[in-house]
Amino acid sequence: MDIQVLKEEVIQYAHKIGIDKIGFASTNVFSHLKDRLYEQQALGFQSGFEESDIEKRTNPHLLLPKAKSIISIALAYPSKMKKTPRNTKMERRGIFCRASWGTDYHHILRDRLLKIEEFIKERVPYVECTSMVDTGELSDRAVAERAGIGWSGKNCAIITPEFGSFVYLGEIITNIPFHPDQPIEERCGSCNKCVDACPTGALVQGGQLDSSKCIAFLTQTKGFLAEEYRVKIGNRLYGCDTCQMVCPENKGKDFHVHAEMEPDPEIAKPLLKPLLNMSNREFKEKFGHVSGSWRGKKPIQRNAIIALAHFKDETAIPDLVRLATDDPRPVIRGTAVWALGKIAEHDSLLLLSEAKDKETDPDVLIEYEQVINSIG
């Protein structure tokens, strides 16, 4: 078998099935990444969503003992929405980040990776493969960087010359010794716009992220958010695109090449108040196919409450009062109390003094105390 011929065939097939970029990397241990990850761990900068075993994250042979190469793929997604719905005073809207527009990218990339696996298996019966997207052990970005897909930007995203950082990544570890491609030289230079623009200072420095402060991470948590982060979230329901949108490499980049990635405006930028009254079933039916739904409706509803406070939407007061007094979830009750403190007039807030007497959760009581003390 001619490995170079097979590589060319795989590249041609990848483009045929809608893969925008493909590269090949060695399976050497990601030594530099390993050092960085241990440092991140020591600093407490990890999110907790990633694979906890750093050795597995950096050594492909722990995932496939006979590994000889890694195939990295990238698919470009849109950065602009067609027919964006208006955000008006009477109809306030939230926003899902661009990586949650359209069908969940995990499904899309797994489909493409599986097709590549099957293509190779037809030609090499003895082949061994293991694929992963985002939630796998390996770092998608480290693989993509080594495979020449793009360089690792100061915003901790892979930036491609063709599509900017608006790409989804996935990889296949295989026992076929494909010749590796050359990495792309880093182009960020002295630009520091993403670090300067980060709303919470989560980008500690170029290429180093404190995940515990990152809005993209915070919007996915399920507990109470600290006051300092509530006021920074704005109307974000899931994720954050700030560090991508200020990047000069992303200027003018907007690709609509995959129909399943096109956003439904009413899902990508939904009305906020209907979210407050949505049942689990209704949430799953409307949002279940997007990646931003993976943590369920609770974080989205909490973020919607914070967004209504951001807009000081007085039309939401009846809904917020109901949530503050009747919702069974302490995080939702407490966040609603906080939001009322940001929105409501003095007389309306007096109702909270009466509702406080029925509250038993200590965290919610703290929210009551802070709001009541603020109005004197």
Side-chain angles (χ1 to χ4, degrees), residues 99-174:
S100 185
W101 290 1
T103 301
D104 187 337
Y105 66 91
H106 297 84
H107 302 315
I108 299 172
L109 267 74
R110 283 179 188 136
D111 170 74
R112 303 301 195 275
L113 291 169
L114 179 60
K115 285 177 177 175
I116 291 179
E117 282 193 36
E118 292 173 343
F119 179 83
I120 295 174
K121 286 175 182 177
E122 289 177 358
R123 287 151 181 77
V124 188
Y126 65 81
V127 69
E128 293 181 20
C129 297
T130 182
S131 301
M132 57 197 71
V133 178
D134 187 35
T135 55
E137 293 88 346
L138 286 185
S139 166
D140 298 331
R141 294 197 299 270
V143 173
E145 182 179 25
R146 181 181 286 183
I149 296 293
W151 72 94
S152 186
K154 290 185 179 180
N155 60 1
C156 297
I158 286 296
I159 303 175
T160 69
E162 304 90 345
F163 312 108
S165 62
F166 301 118
V167 291
Y168 298 127
L169 304 171
E171 59 273 342
I172 303 171
I173 309 173
T174 178

Side-chain angles (χ1 to χ4, degrees), residues 92-266:
R92 294 300 189 183
R93 293 177 178 270
I95 184 73
F96 281 75
C97 70
R98 287 156 178 80
S100 185
W101 290 1
T103 301
D104 187 337
Y105 66 91
H106 297 84
H107 302 315
I108 299 172
L109 267 74
R110 283 179 188 136
D111 170 74
R112 303 301 195 275
L113 291 169
L114 179 60
K115 285 177 177 175
I116 291 179
E117 282 193 36
E118 292 173 343
F119 179 83
I120 295 174
K121 286 175 182 177
E122 289 177 358
R123 287 151 181 77
V124 188
Y126 65 81
V127 69
E128 293 181 20
C129 297
T130 182
S131 301
M132 57 197 71
V133 178
D134 187 35
T135 55
E137 293 88 346
L138 286 185
S139 166
D140 298 331
R141 294 197 299 270
V143 173
E145 182 179 25
R146 181 181 286 183
I149 296 293
W151 72 94
S152 186
K154 290 185 179 180
N155 60 1
C156 297
I158 286 296
I159 303 175
T160 69
E162 304 90 345
F163 312 108
S165 62
F166 301 118
V167 291
Y168 298 127
L169 304 171
E171 59 273 342
I172 303 171
I173 309 173
T174 178
N175 63 337
I176 297 176
F178 289 112
H179 184 72
D181 293 318
Q182 290 296 314
I184 296 175
E185 185 177 348
E186 184 267 328
R187 301 185 188 178
C188 291
S190 61
C191 178
N192 215 42
K193 289 186 176 181
C194 58
V195 177
D196 296 338
C198 182
T200 60
L203 283 170
V204 180
Q205 58 184 345
Q208 186 176 39
L209 176 73
D210 181 351
S211 296
S212 67
K213 295 181 179 180
C214 178
I215 286 179
F217 163 73
L218 292 167
T219 58
Q220 300 177 61
T221 60
K222 293 186 176 183
F224 282 95
L225 291 181
E227 171 83 16
E228 62 182 303
Y229 299 132
R230 294 179 198 178
V231 298
K232 298 287 188 179
I233 282 179
N235 70 329
R236 300 177 183 89
L237 297 174
Y238 179 86
C240 178
D241 286 323
T242 298
C243 63
Q244 293 200 95
M245 299 314 295
V246 300
C247 177
E249 294 289 340
N250 283 333
K251 187 175 182 180
K253 300 288 199 306
D254 179 34
F255 293 88
H256 299 261
V257 292
H258 305 285
E260 62 267 57
M261 294 181 188
E262 290 300 320
D264 177 339
E266 292 299 326

Side-chain angles (χ1 to χ4, degrees), residues 302-316:
R302 180 204 60 194
N303 300 338
I305 294 169
I306 292 172
L308 289 165
H310 166 73
F311 289 124
K312 298 189 181 302
D313 188 347
E314 294 182 356
T315 68

Side-chain angles (χ1 to χ4, degrees), residues 42-96:
L43 292 169
F45 285 178
Q46 294 184 324
S47 70
F49 292 151
E50 63 274 277
E51 166 63 48
S52 60
D53 189 331
I54 291 176
E55 297 299 318
K56 286 185 177 179
R57 294 187 69 189
T58 55
N59 187 351
H61 295 94
L62 294 179
L63 309 176
L64 187 70
K66 296 181 181 179
K68 295 290 181 61
S69 65
I70 311 174
I71 304 171
S72 177
I73 68 169
L75 273 70
Y77 60 86
S79 67
K80 296 180 181 179
M81 192 186 308
K82 299 175 182 178
K83 299 181 180 179
T84 305
R86 292 183 62 201
N87 188 353
T88 67
K89 187 174 182 180
M90 298 303 294
E91 291 190 323
R92 294 300 189 183
R93 293 177 178 270
I95 184 73
F96 281 75

